[in-house]
Amino acid sequence: SRKWHNLGMVLVADGRYAEGVDWLEKVALHEPFNSAAVDDLFRASLKHGDLTRAAHWGEEVRRGEGVSMRYVEMRLAIAEALE
C-alpha cells in the first residue's frame, strides 16, 4: 500500500490529479486507518478545488474518530476554501 500511496502522490504532483487520487483512495479504502493517505487525499482534493471529495474524506475521519481536532481542522479548511 505504501507503493500505491507514493504512486498517487507522484501522479498528483505531476498534474495527473484524477489518476493520483484514484490510487490514494485505494489506499484509504484498503487501510481505513492509514491517516497519512487520508490526509494526503484530503489536501490534494482541497488544493484542486474538489471540495466534494475533500468533504467526503473529512466525514470519513469523523466516522472513525468522532469530532476530533483533525476533523475540525478539515472542516475549517473546507469552509475557508468556500470563502
Side-chain angles (χ1 to χ4, degrees):
S1 300
R2 187 70 189 154
K3 290 178 185 178
W4 291 0
H5 184 175
N6 290 341
L7 175 59
M9 293 304 296
V10 167
L11 290 168
V12 168
D14 192 41
R16 295 162 63 185
Y17 170 74
E19 192 176 354
V21 295
D22 283 347
W23 284 103
L24 291 171
E25 284 185 336
K26 286 178 185 183
V27 175
L29 293 170
H30 183 69
E31 297 178 9
F33 298 105
N34 185 331
S35 62
V38 172
D39 289 346
D40 286 341
L41 180 54
F42 175 81
R43 281 191 295 272
S45 300
L46 196 62
K47 179 179 177 182
H48 287 84
D50 190 350
L51 300 183
T52 301
R53 180 175 269 135
H56 168 78
W57 288 102
E59 286 303 310
E60 288 298 315
V61 167
R62 184 190 58 76
R63 280 196 252 315
E65 298 177 2
V67 180
S68 63
M69 182 57 76
R70 181 173 167 219
Y71 169 74
V72 170
E73 289 172 350
M74 288 175 157
R75 294 303 302 167
L76 287 172
I78 291 169
E80 288 174 0
L82 290 170
E83 291 180 347

